[in-house]
Amino acid sequence: MNISENRTDNAVSILVSGRLDTTTAPQLESKLKDCSKGIKNLNLNLQDVEYISSAGLRVVLLAHKLMTGLGGKFTVQKPSEFCMQVFQATGMDSILKII
């Protein structure tokens, strides 16, 4: 898995590529916790994620809860077809803001 970050004054966009699973989810969780401090908007781009497991879903949901708790906004951007199918199958598409 690769993670890249683009930061502006009050927003961070994270681009993830590869597999988001049990072995890689802790890396993304750490990155999201670190970059969420002091921002209003967190965007997670999943267009290049080929696989997401329940561990990956947990991290996405954690980011949503973290930003909501801070009074900010969390958006999942351009999820891959596989990610979108998983979000729909789990009902997370009704919880998350997906664009």
Side-chain angles (χ1 to χ4, degrees), residues 5-99:
E5 175 184 334
N6 184 17
R7 184 178 286 269
T8 61
D9 290 338
N10 65 351
V12 173
S13 294
I14 303 291
L15 174 63
V16 180
S17 61
R19 294 176 59 89
L20 184 49
D21 56 24
T22 305
T23 58
T24 60
Q27 180 185 356
L28 180 60
E29 180 176 350
S30 177
K31 180 70 168 176
L32 291 170
K33 284 180 178 178
D34 288 344
C35 73
S36 65
K37 297 172 185 162
I39 62 167
K40 296 287 183 191
N41 297 302
L42 178 59
N43 304 306
L44 185 62
N45 186 313
L46 300 178
Q47 69 184 8
D48 296 325
V49 172
E50 58 196 43
Y51 175 80
I52 187 168
S53 72
S54 59
L57 289 175
R58 184 189 63 78
V59 172
V60 172
L61 192 56
L62 175 73
H64 169 73
K65 288 181 179 182
L66 180 66
M67 289 307 297
T68 302
L70 295 172
K73 294 181 183 176
F74 176 71
T75 304
V76 175
Q77 296 178 329
K78 303 176 185 175
S80 66
E81 185 176 335
F82 184 83
C83 287
M84 194 63 204
Q85 288 174 351
V86 172
F87 290 152
Q88 290 170 339
T90 59
M92 285 181 63
D93 62 327
S94 64
I95 298 169
L96 302 171
K97 180 178 180 184
I98 300 174
I99 57 172

